[in-house]
Amino acid sequence: MAIVGPGGLGHMDVKIGHTLGAEVRVLTESLKKRADGNGMGADRFYATSDPQMFEKLKGYFRLIINTVAIGDSHPSHRGFW
């Protein structure tokens, strides 16, 4: 499962996903929250500032939870979901 935006709500999603046994991947603009997310059970982090990241992961996730207020209007997110 992918969590887009590891803020308050995103952190809760990481915890829930980890508790349920999901492979939890966090997509975030900055990797500053990596230590927090790892402590809550995230398996891997990806920086959305890397334009190649979306192409590499396209079609990979069965579940994407977007907790970012900008939604899918961000140019780098188009075509990813």
Side-chain angles (χ1 to χ4, degrees):
M1 81 188 273
I3 308 296
V4 182
L9 183 57
H11 278 135
M12 294 306 298
D13 294 328
V14 170
K15 287 181 173 182
I16 292 169
H18 176 74
T19 300
L20 294 174
E23 179 181 302
V24 180
R25 310 256 174 151
V26 176
L27 286 70
T28 180
E29 194 169 25
S30 163
L31 298 180
K32 294 177 187 175
K33 297 179 182 178
R34 181 183 292 205
D36 288 344
N38 287 339
M40 294 180 198
D43 295 299
R44 186 168 279 195
F45 271 71
Y46 297 98
T48 58
S49 57
D50 174 9
Q52 299 299 316
M53 186 275 309
F54 287 101
E55 275 305 310
K56 290 177 189 173
L57 296 175
K58 191 173 186 175
Y60 180 81
F61 300 107
R62 294 177 65 188
L63 174 65
I64 299 171
I65 299 175
N66 183 8
T67 64
V68 178
I70 60 170
D72 64 355
S73 62
H74 193 279
S76 64
H77 295 179
R78 290 193 186 119
F80 181 67
W81 334 106

